[in-house]
Amino acid sequence: MPELQIELIPVLRDNYVYLIFDPATQACAAVDPAVAPPVLAALDRLGWRLTHILNTHHHHDHVGGNLALKAATGCTIVGYGPDAARIPGLDVAVKDGGTVTVGSATAQVIEVSGHTLGHIAYWFADHAALFCGDTLFSLGCGRLFEGNPAMMWASLGRLRDLPPETRIYCAHEYTEANARFALTLDPDNAALRARTREVCDLRSRDLPTLPSTIGVERATNPFLRADVPELQRAVGAPTGDAVAAFAEIRHRKDVF
Ligand SMILES: [Zn+2]
């Protein structure tokens, strides 16, 4: 099947909006459009017409451009059904286990609550692409605004179980700061040190560090490694208690 084209648009201070374009049908989805003008400019430059918005959660820096883009393009807005009151202009309500179609491409909806309740990710399995919003970042994860550590650990586990070649498109460029934090917990991790060198090099040239992959994150991201004994020891959590280790890692990052 023809490859999707995925365009990364940096907006605000450190957000990314992604455009997903299906050459077979000319369908085009914007994932988490924080603001409309840069998205409209990118569509204009690329010659693409917006048909869908895919929202991962209700935060303003993910849905802020919804209504203006819908007014300009007539696109269909997809999001988590029970969050309809918090997602402007929601047209198509989805939930865990559902699917979303963008032209000839299909995404599975995976609920990954923790950052918010009702946060979802969109997994285009046939294209090895995951749009995970503020749940999973490269070398990090979202803050727990509405969920608890056990919930977030379970959500991250669902993403960690995806095929390792899956490319992850996160909603923020936080990787360099995340790397500095990760090295405090996991300094002997060769994969983390290599990824940190790559990230610092990319950022020094003002290039994005995304997409990462599930395989890279499994090996390097401390928030996916809370069940590794070395990490549990590093944060003083009881051996075998991944949730306690995850909670402590999250707390330490919150105050880092
Ligand atoms: Zn958020």
Side-chain angles (χ1 to χ4, degrees), residues 57 59 61-62 115-116 119 134 145 172:
H57 66 296
H59 282 158
D61 62 327
H62 297 255
H115 176 68
T116 65
H119 192 304
D134 287 355
F145 288 118
H172 289 275

Side-chain angles (χ1 to χ4, degrees), residues 8 17 22 74 78 80 100 117 167 201 243:
L8 175 154
V17 178
D22 174 32
V78 181
Y80 184 66
V100 177
L117 297 180
R167 293 165 292 159
D201 175 60
V243 172

Side-chain angles (χ1 to χ4, degrees), residues 122-218:
Y122 298 90
W123 177 38
F124 291 84
D126 292 339
H127 301 274
L130 174 75
F131 296 86
C132 49
D134 287 355
T135 295
L136 176 62
F137 297 124
S138 183
L139 302 179
C141 77
R143 284 177 185 255
L144 304 185
F145 288 118
E146 297 180 0
N148 60 44
M151 182 188 290
M152 188 64 150
W153 173 245
S155 293
L156 290 170
R158 300 187 74 184
L159 301 183
R160 188 177 68 166
D161 286 345
L162 297 178
E165 66 274 16
T166 307
R167 293 165 292 159
I168 65 162
Y169 294 88
C170 319
H172 289 275
E173 180 58 79
Y174 289 157
T175 317
E176 194 168 17
N178 288 344
R180 279 197 297 276
F181 172 72
L183 283 170
T184 66
L185 303 179
D186 208 6
D188 300 326
N189 182 334
L192 172 60
R193 294 213 306 267
R195 172 71 172 146
T196 300
R197 282 193 295 275
E198 176 189 46
V199 164
C200 290
D201 175 60
L202 288 168
R203 295 310 294 155
S204 74
R205 293 183 286 137
D206 208 26
L207 294 172
T209 63
L210 302 171
S212 181
T213 67
I214 290 292
V216 165
E217 296 306 314
R218 268 188 210 164

Side-chain angles (χ1 to χ4, degrees), residues 10-136:
V11 303
L12 305 179
R13 196 172 64 179
D14 49 35
N15 281 74
Y16 289 128
V17 178
Y18 296 103
L19 291 179
I20 305 168
F21 178 72
D22 174 32
T25 63
Q26 311 282 302
C28 179
V31 181
D32 284 349
V35 285
V39 177
L40 291 168
L43 289 165
D44 201 41
R45 173 171 55 82
L46 294 159
W48 298 348
R49 196 177 68 79
L50 193 68
T51 55
H52 297 78
I53 288 172
L54 308 182
N55 288 133
T56 63
H57 66 296
H58 74 278
H59 282 158
H60 191 69
D61 62 327
H62 297 255
V63 303
N66 274 19
L67 295 180
L69 288 171
K70 189 173 178 175
T73 66
C75 66
T76 298
I77 300 179
V78 181
Y80 184 66
D83 254 357
R86 308 199 288 185
I87 299 176
L90 184 72
D91 296 302
V92 176
V94 295
K95 58 180 185 174
D96 186 51
T99 58
V100 177
T101 303
V102 178
S104 64
T106 300
Q108 298 178 37
V109 176
I110 306 173
E111 186 183 332
V112 283
S113 286
H115 176 68
T116 65
L117 297 180
H119 192 304
I120 55 177
Y122 298 90
W123 177 38
F124 291 84
D126 292 339
H127 301 274
L130 174 75
F131 296 86
C132 49
D134 287 355
T135 295
L136 176 62

